[in-house]
Amino acid sequence: MTGEFEHRHGLTPGTNQVRPADHDDQAAARTLAQVTPTPADLATFYESIGDVTWEDVGNGYILNPAGDLLLRLQEYGVVDFGTDEKSRGLVIGSNSGPDLCRGA
């Protein structure tokens, strides 16, 4: 995946990392599950995985730590992702491109 990255994109590939969850991440995952309608699979994911950064895949992909999600929820609330007011969600990451998600 990184062999042709610099040739295609004109910059050196970034870091690809899956960081295991630490104690703070696990506590944030439990809190996230308690205060939001977080799917059980996402809570389980955050019990094991602290965050994911794939800087050299397309624009780059990022799955934020559960603690960041809690902070964004406090600051922005949930986001609308459709015309139906019942279509609401939680942004857990981004593609780090020009339309980087700022809400939570």
Side-chain angles (χ1 to χ4, degrees):
M1 191 169 4
T2 61
E4 293 290 318
F5 186 87
E6 187 171 2
H7 176 72
R8 279 186 283 148
H9 300 285
L11 55 122
T12 57
T15 301
N16 293 323
Q17 174 180 318
V18 176
R19 183 180 59 77
D22 61 21
H23 178 72
D24 292 339
D25 295 316
Q26 292 167 344
R30 288 188 295 275
T31 301
L32 188 64
Q34 292 171 354
V35 301
T36 67
T38 300
D41 288 344
L42 182 59
T44 299
F45 173 86
Y46 277 126
E47 283 282 329
S48 300
I49 304 297
D51 61 70
V52 177
T53 305
W54 293 329
E55 293 181 353
D56 63 355
V57 178
N59 285 337
Y61 291 91
I62 300 164
L63 293 178
N64 297 317
D68 287 0
L69 302 185
L70 289 170
L71 292 173
R72 288 194 180 120
L73 275 172
Q74 290 173 345
E75 190 171 338
Y76 300 107
V78 294
V79 295
D80 295 324
F81 59 88
T83 56
D84 181 0
E85 288 188 20
K86 294 179 183 178
S87 298
R88 305 201 53 147
L90 175 67
V91 175
I92 64 168
S94 77
N95 69 358
S96 73
D99 296 324
L100 181 66
C101 296
R102 294 181 309 154

